Amino acid sequence: MKEKIIARRYADAYFNFARFYQEAEQIVGEFKSSKLLVEKEPGLFSFFISPEFTSQEKRDFIEKVFSSSFSLEFRNFLFLLLENRRVNLLVEIADYIRENYAHQEAQNALLKTTYPLELEVIQKLKTGLETALNKKLNLYLELDPTLLGGVQVVIGSMIIDGSVRKRIEEAREKLRELKKFY
C-alpha cells in the first residue's frame, strides 16, 4: 500500500511538471512505451537495481538507449527514480499515469452523495471543481448512505469531504479536546 501511494505521488508530480513541456498524449505514450520495454526485457530492472554497476554507468545506459525514443524530461525522471532507489515503481507509475491522464489530461473523480442529485447540481459541482483544480475531470457518481448528507469527492489520492458524517466527526473531536480541559 505504501509503495502504491509513493508511486502515485511520483506520477502526479512528474505529470504536473512535464505537461509544461509536452502534450499529455506524449507523456502517457512514453510511460506506455517504458512499461512495454520493461515487460519485454525483464533484465532491465535487474540492471537498474544491481550494485555491480555504478550510478554513472546506469545514467550512460539510459542516455544511450532511451535518448532516441524518450524525452529529456522522461530520462531525467528515470535518473531521479534511480537516485532515490524507486525504479522498481516504474510500472506502477506508468499504470497510474495511463489510468488517470490518458483521456487528454482528464482525471477520474468520484462524487459520492447520499441521494441522487439533479443534473444541474452535478454539472455545477464538476465545473467548480475543474476551475478550482485547473483540471478536466471525468466525474463518476456513487450513492453512499454512510455520508449522512452532503458530498464527498475523491480525485486520485485527494479527498474533498463536505459530508455530514465528516462534520459530526470534527464536532466530536472538538468536544473531546474541550473535555480534556474540564
Side-chain angles (χ1 to χ4, degrees):
M1 183 67 171
K2 181 180 175 185
E3 298 280 316
K4 195 170 197 167
I5 292 169
I6 293 169
R8 287 178 178 177
R9 288 183 179 166
Y10 271 96
D12 287 335
Y14 177 76
F15 189 85
N16 289 327
F17 162 76
R19 70 180 178 179
F20 290 107
Y21 303 97
Q22 303 167 312
E23 295 293 321
E25 291 175 9
Q26 183 182 356
I27 297 168
V28 172
E30 286 184 326
F31 276 96
K32 284 181 183 177
S33 298
S34 68
K35 180 181 175 184
L36 289 173
L37 182 63
V38 167
E39 289 173 346
K40 187 178 171 184
E41 298 293 335
L44 199 56
F45 267 138
S46 299
F47 169 73
F48 285 143
I49 62 173
S50 173
E52 295 177 23
F53 299 97
T54 66
S55 192
Q56 187 59 46
E57 289 173 320
K58 294 173 187 177
R59 290 178 72 94
D60 291 343
F61 175 80
I62 289 172
E63 281 299 329
K64 186 177 181 181
V65 173
F66 287 73
S67 64
S68 63
S69 303
F70 295 90
S71 68
L72 176 62
E73 293 79 20
F74 184 83
R75 293 190 315 268
N76 284 335
F77 182 67
L78 285 179
F79 297 152
L80 177 73
L81 291 177
L82 279 171
E83 286 174 22
N84 294 333
R85 295 189 173 111
R86 299 285 190 201
V87 76
N88 60 315
L89 299 176
L90 184 61
V91 170
E92 194 158 343
I93 292 169
D95 287 339
Y96 181 82
I97 283 184
R98 183 187 51 79
E99 291 169 7
N100 289 283
Y101 298 109
H103 303 289
Q104 299 179 13
E105 293 191 50
Q107 191 168 7
N108 292 335
L110 179 63
L111 173 65
K112 296 181 180 183
T113 67
T114 53
Y115 57 89
L117 298 175
E118 292 182 20
L119 192 55
E120 286 179 18
V121 174
I122 294 169
Q123 190 58 44
K124 284 182 182 179
L125 278 169
K126 181 181 179 196
T127 304
L129 286 167
E130 287 176 336
T131 302
L133 300 171
N134 197 24
K135 292 181 182 182
K136 187 175 182 202
L137 299 175
N138 295 322
L139 195 62
Y140 299 93
L141 304 175
E142 179 181 296
L143 295 180
D144 184 356
T146 64
L147 295 177
L148 304 175
V151 297
Q152 184 182 71
V153 181
V154 180
I155 305 167
S157 58
M158 177 176 48
I159 298 174
I160 302 169
D161 198 341
S163 67
V164 172
R165 180 182 68 197
K166 178 71 173 174
R167 307 285 165 120
I168 291 171
E169 288 171 4
E170 289 171 351
R172 197 177 284 149
E173 185 60 35
K174 286 180 183 177
L175 286 172
R176 281 187 195 126
E177 289 177 18
L178 285 173
K179 217 176 191 181
K180 290 177 186 177
F181 296 110
Y182 296 104

